[in-house]
Amino acid sequence: MGTKKEDMRRHIRLHMESTLTSRDKVGVQDFVMLDAYTSESAFLDNLRKRFSQNLIYTYIGTLLVSVNPYQELGIYTLSQMELYEGVNFFELPPHLYAIADNAYRMMCSELNNHLILISGESGAGKTEASKKILQYLAMTCPMTDSLQIARDRLLLSNPVLEAFGNAKTLRNDNSSRFGKYMDIQFDFQGIPVGGHIISYLIEKSRVVYQNQGERNFHIFYQLLEGGDEELLAYLGLERDPRLYKYLSQGHGANESSMNDKNDWKTISNAFSVIDFTEHDLENLFGIIASVLHLGNICFGVNHQGCATIPVTREIKWIAKLLGFQPSVLLEALTHRKIEAQTEEVLCPLTLELSTFARDAMAKAVYGRTFTWLVNKINSSIVNKEFTKKTVIGLLDIYGFEVFDKNGFEQFCINYCNEKLQQLLIERTLKAEQAEYEMEGIEWEPIQYFNNKIICDLVEERHKGIISILDEECIRPGPATDLSFLQKLEEKVGKHAHFRTRKLADPMGRKRIGWMEFQLFHYAGEVTYCTKGFLEKNSDILYRHLKEVLCTSKNGILKECFLVAELENRRRSPTVGTQFKNSLSSLLEILISKEPSYIRCIKPNERKEPSELYKSLCPDTWPHWHGPPAEGVKRLVRYIGYKPEDYKLGRTKIFIRFSRTVFATEDAFELSKHQLAAKIQATYKACLERRVYVKKRQAAIKLETHWRGALARKEMKRRKWAVQVIRKFIKGFINRDKPLGPDNEEFVVFVRKKYILKLRYYVPKNVLDKNWLTPPGILENASYLLWKLCKRNLVRKYCRGLTAERKALMQQKAVTSTIFRGRKEGYAETLNQPFANSRLDEEDINPKVLQLINSEKIQYGIPVIKYDRQGFKARQRQLILTQKAAYVVELAKIKQKIEYSALKGVSTSNLRDGIVVIHVSPGVSKQKGDAILQCEHIFEVVTKLAMLVKKENMVNVVQGSLQFYISPGKEGTIVFDTGPEEQIYKDKNGQLTVVSAVSEEGSK
């Protein structure tokens, strides 16, 4: 095994050496080795070369740069893990595994805590990188059988947290909408023994609103797509996510790139491994379903302008799943408790406030449930032994985000990224400074201090904005998002990295709205819309709703909403303050550990593989306002001149090599082509503008004349219409009077219109009740026409009936008298015609025919007869004649029941085919009641009742019936329902008949 690994490593080293000879094709694997290591264009060019060859990892010293490939590259196999295990950091090509292995080996050798900090914008691959590192540590670290469960729980905690905390955004299909810091705990032997997770600021607003093209958290779609029918029925849910308001706002519910069904299987397996009980899952899914039902609550408005809930279906489901009375929740969503001295007053809410209360409840329930979930996972993975442990921290936190509309969540996320960037700069440059001093090399601190100043300005600006936001949230008097923006302009307006529409220059104002402000981050400028800042920062949940949630019988909500919380009257810290404090705690954790850095880069906005973009803009075009010499310096630096290629004089530039001149000319030619294209585009636009203006003026003149002609024509038409309307109004007023000049035209018109319209409402058959409602003056005529039409339809129908059809209808009428509304399955037989017999003459044994040849057979059907003693099932035939019913076995008549001896017929109200023919006990030669089962029970009972000529002898029973066995001895048949049909003798000696539950029965 060792020889095989050495051969593989030797092959990798040879490959690396051959790669050095083709650096122009695939670039260098460490940016420190670039000749132009300070050039942005050289950096991007090297990145592009490596990315084009699917080399997504590159070092900057010990920092790893990772470019998201958006495809599987086959570089995370078990053999790759074994290759990097225990190898010197720079011995193999750059890889995530090298970072993970280096951190693990340093932790084991130095016995101190380490940290892997993964940063980058949203969609750059941070979450996937953290999962690969966790997999590497789990697979390559030494392991014992007893700690296998801890390892599996660590690995499977990821899909559970992703399901509840990740969502599809415009930038990323699996974007983390919360911050996650995980400590992986190791014992003194380097064996992973447990872990602990800290979460930060889950984006609760996503629960109730998503931008266009985005989705809610994954768990909602996974539950609907993967949950079995029984679970969904218990939760009151349907599979289509478009039926739920909280899932359909972004129109991304049926996203083809997401496999929610497979993800559901993954988290279902994870739940079982992480030690979630059935009761935990029942409560958890009940909360998820309740959030969906909350979103579908529709509010109305009564005559006083107060909110109401006309349809309470969703309220009942929520109350059932969360365990409280529907009326209590209904009141809490439409009313608010106000304390007035010594008493509490219920104040009705407006439609807007009720909607706010509903959404606030959904956000609070989901947010606290997520915190419970993290704590539950921690209790499962944490190692509770008191022995000393070392840890490797893994930070996977939301990346820098810039959307078309950026709100409070993006402000907090980008603030967090600023702090992490500050930490990276300080620790990296300080480490570099210490190494320079140790080696006796003069340190140039200019770059460090420039970055330090920028980070300090960023810190000062963000703290100021959060403080102002908190002041606006808690100060007395009305506070709005606009007043918050005005306070920002007043307090932070002079900051170099802050700008609003009011403070911007004329060019900048075009890109900033009236309710927006702009911040200059390390990653670029971002424009934030202040709408919703105060509401999201306050995160208010009405006390009345808190009281309702505190009474919940749901086990999870009991832990999330404590009664003690109601006793605390102090205002809770704002979201901004909580986030700022938790971020400070996180930084303290990070500073206490030895760091390794991974910088993830997003290659394109379309999430496509094998595509990299770059953006370089010349500073000297189109206008240069500084000294000419400085402009030339910037120009040659942009073109890529080396110091030895040129020298600058007072008024001229001297170029040493011809290749430099050729490169300059090529660049100039390219620039000329680009400039010519711009001039052509501008000139063509000018010409088209002239043509457009000329056509527009002609169109306006033509439209003016045409509108005049139309107006005159309209005036004539209106005069005519006035005359007609007056005439018809007069006719309407006199419609009930005898025909005359005042009403004749109106009455004729009404008659004609009604007759013409009536042709579309003429009934097609006897049962069709369609008929056009007549005006008052034609009610009598309409009635006569309807009567005539009905008679014609009845006459036509009666003439078309055959004698056989009449007989069949008589039988169906008898069936309706006996069974309608009394036995299940009756409605399904209405359109099924009865047969004259279910047995042909050749189906009956000739000996039986001889025995009953004096009686004409009226009906026959195969049946199953059950013995009266042991209830053994036997195949028989039931034959009905004019005088008696015969139960036949092949050539024998097993029982003859004369109609005169017939006491009655019993059957159940369920779907079984059991019929009991009761005989009078006193009649001689009768063995007892006959217990039969047949397929066409409605047909059999109807035929028998008509032959006996006693429709009232049929008894439809519920639950059970008694039957006659022998003199003085009776038996019992019990009827019940279940998942499938069964007939068996129970332990009490009774015959039990179980019918399958139908949809009609379940309702």
Side-chain angles (χ1 to χ4, degrees), residues 799-869:
R799 285 188 172 185
L801 286 176
T802 62
E804 184 180 355
R805 177 68 174 167
K806 286 181 181 179
L808 177 62
M809 291 183 70
Q810 288 173 350
Q811 292 177 17
K812 286 288 184 177
V814 172
T815 306
S816 176
T817 303
I818 298 172
F819 293 109
R820 183 179 180 185
R822 299 174 66 192
K823 185 172 178 65
E824 290 185 13
Y826 166 72
E828 299 168 12
T829 65
L830 289 176
N831 59 351
Q832 299 174 5
F834 287 168
N836 290 331
S837 179
R838 298 291 174 176
L839 293 175
D840 295 332
E841 190 170 338
E842 56 267 22
D843 295 333
I844 303 173
N845 194 288
K847 289 184 178 180
V848 174
L849 292 174
Q850 289 177 1
L851 292 173
I852 59 175
N853 61 353
S854 61
E855 302 178 40
K856 184 179 180 182
I857 296 176
Q858 301 297 317
Y859 180 76
I861 185 171
V863 296
I864 297 174
K865 178 181 178 297
Y866 290 90
D867 293 348
R868 288 176 292 277
Q869 298 290 341

Side-chain angles (χ1 to χ4, degrees), residues 18-58:
S18 65
T19 302
L20 293 176
T21 64
S22 58
R23 281 169 50 182
D24 288 342
K25 292 183 179 178
V26 296
V28 297
Q29 65 183 19
D30 193 335
F31 283 113
V32 174
M33 303 300 295
L34 281 175
D35 294 331
Y37 60 88
T38 60
S39 168
E40 184 181 352
S41 60
F43 181 94
L44 287 170
D45 185 57
N46 187 64
L47 211 60
R48 177 186 57 77
K49 287 178 181 177
R50 293 180 64 75
F51 187 77
S52 66
Q53 300 297 318
N54 287 334
L55 300 173
I56 63 172
Y57 295 124
T58 311

Side-chain angles (χ1 to χ4, degrees), residues 829-964:
T829 65
L830 289 176
N831 59 351
Q832 299 174 5
F834 287 168
N836 290 331
S837 179
R838 298 291 174 176
L839 293 175
D840 295 332
E841 190 170 338
E842 56 267 22
D843 295 333
I844 303 173
N845 194 288
K847 289 184 178 180
V848 174
L849 292 174
Q850 289 177 1
L851 292 173
I852 59 175
N853 61 353
S854 61
E855 302 178 40
K856 184 179 180 182
I857 296 176
Q858 301 297 317
Y859 180 76
I861 185 171
V863 296
I864 297 174
K865 178 181 178 297
Y866 290 90
D867 293 348
R868 288 176 292 277
Q869 298 290 341
F871 301 122
K872 185 174 180 180
R874 303 177 188 277
Q875 293 291 337
R876 298 287 188 265
Q877 291 178 340
L878 176 65
I879 298 174
L880 304 181
T881 68
Q882 286 286 0
K883 296 181 179 179
Y886 294 89
V887 179
V888 177
E889 177 190 6
L890 298 176
K892 298 179 181 179
I893 295 176
K894 301 296 291 183
Q895 185 174 3
K896 177 181 178 182
I897 304 172
E898 294 184 354
Y899 297 149
S900 59
L902 188 65
K903 182 180 179 182
V905 177
S906 296
T907 182
S908 77
N909 66 323
L910 302 178
R911 285 178 170 267
D912 55 78
I914 296 295
V915 59
V916 178
I917 302 176
H918 300 283
V919 299
S920 299
V923 179
S924 60
K925 298 182 181 181
Q926 290 299 331
K927 301 177 181 180
D929 294 350
I931 305 171
L932 307 176
Q933 182 186 14
C934 57
E935 184 177 352
H936 303 278
I937 188 166
F938 295 100
E939 184 177 285
V940 171
V941 174
T942 301
K943 298 275 190 182
L944 182 58
M946 293 184 71
L947 287 170
V948 179
K949 299 179 182 179
K950 292 181 182 179
E951 298 174 7
N952 57 355
M953 75 173 185
V954 180
N955 184 26
V956 180
V957 301
Q958 296 185 9
S960 65
L961 64 82
Q962 304 294 321
F963 64 91
Y964 168 65

Side-chain angles (χ1 to χ4, degrees), residues 122-190:
S122 180
K126 300 183 299 302
T127 299
E128 286 301 313
S130 69
K131 288 195 286 189
K132 300 301 182 189
I133 290 173
L134 189 60
Q135 289 170 2
Y136 177 83
L137 294 173
M139 297 302 295
T140 59
C141 294
M143 180 58 60
T144 62
D145 294 338
S146 61
L147 295 173
Q148 185 74 29
I149 295 176
R151 188 195 75 168
D152 292 342
R153 288 176 177 176
L154 275 172
L155 288 173
L156 290 173
S157 64
N158 260 327
V160 174
L161 290 175
E162 284 185 19
F164 285 83
N166 287 25
K168 179 190 181 299
T169 67
L170 295 174
R171 299 285 188 270
N172 185 0
D173 286 350
N174 188 31
S175 177
S176 297
R177 308 317 298 166
F178 72 107
K180 181 183 70 174
Y181 174 78
M182 173 185 280
D183 270 336
I184 308 167
Q185 301 169 337
F186 299 85
D187 65 7
F188 69 98
Q189 294 177 307

Side-chain angles (χ1 to χ4, degrees), residues 667-873:
F668 182 60
E669 285 298 318
L670 177 62
S671 179
K672 283 197 297 185
H673 284 297
Q674 293 174 342
L675 182 60
K678 286 184 179 179
I679 293 172
Q680 286 177 347
T682 305
Y683 180 68
K684 287 177 181 177
C686 182
L687 291 179
E688 290 297 325
R689 173 70 181 170
R690 289 176 186 173
V691 174
Y692 166 74
V693 169
K694 190 174 180 180
K695 288 181 178 179
R696 186 171 181 272
Q697 290 173 346
I700 290 172
K701 195 169 185 179
L702 184 62
E703 286 174 352
T704 302
H705 288 284
W706 179 242
R707 286 194 191 101
L710 289 178
R712 288 188 290 272
K713 187 177 180 181
E714 179 67 12
M715 184 184 66
K716 291 181 180 178
R717 191 188 69 80
R718 289 188 179 187
K719 285 183 177 179
W720 171 83
V722 167
Q723 294 174 356
V724 173
I725 291 170
R726 283 176 177 171
K727 186 185 295 184
F728 271 76
I729 289 174
K730 196 171 183 181
F732 178 78
I733 293 171
N734 298 286
R735 64 187 182 281
D736 295 328
K737 296 181 180 179
L739 283 180
D742 291 338
N743 64 358
E744 182 177 7
E745 193 170 344
F746 173 80
V747 172
V748 171
F749 171 78
V750 171
R751 288 174 179 170
K752 180 180 178 182
K753 184 179 179 182
Y754 178 72
I755 294 299
L756 290 175
K757 199 172 180 181
L758 182 61
R759 58 183 171 171
Y760 301 111
Y761 296 87
V762 175
K764 302 294 188 298
N765 53 60
V766 177
L767 299 178
D768 189 355
K769 297 182 180 180
N770 193 23
W771 191 260
L772 182 62
T773 303
I777 60 176
L778 295 179
E779 285 182 352
N780 187 47
S782 174
Y783 173 74
L784 294 174
L785 287 172
W786 174 82
K787 196 172 181 181
L788 182 65
C789 180
K790 280 293 182 182
R791 286 181 177 177
N792 183 49
L793 289 172
V794 170
R795 182 168 173 268
K796 183 178 179 181
Y797 179 78
C798 292
R799 285 188 172 185
L801 286 176
T802 62
E804 184 180 355
R805 177 68 174 167
K806 286 181 181 179
L808 177 62
M809 291 183 70
Q810 288 173 350
Q811 292 177 17
K812 286 288 184 177
V814 172
T815 306
S816 176
T817 303
I818 298 172
F819 293 109
R820 183 179 180 185
R822 299 174 66 192
K823 185 172 178 65
E824 290 185 13
Y826 166 72
E828 299 168 12
T829 65
L830 289 176
N831 59 351
Q832 299 174 5
F834 287 168
N836 290 331
S837 179
R838 298 291 174 176
L839 293 175
D840 295 332
E841 190 170 338
E842 56 267 22
D843 295 333
I844 303 173
N845 194 288
K847 289 184 178 180
V848 174
L849 292 174
Q850 289 177 1
L851 292 173
I852 59 175
N853 61 353
S854 61
E855 302 178 40
K856 184 179 180 182
I857 296 176
Q858 301 297 317
Y859 180 76
I861 185 171
V863 296
I864 297 174
K865 178 181 178 297
Y866 290 90
D867 293 348
R868 288 176 292 277
Q869 298 290 341
F871 301 122
K872 185 174 180 180

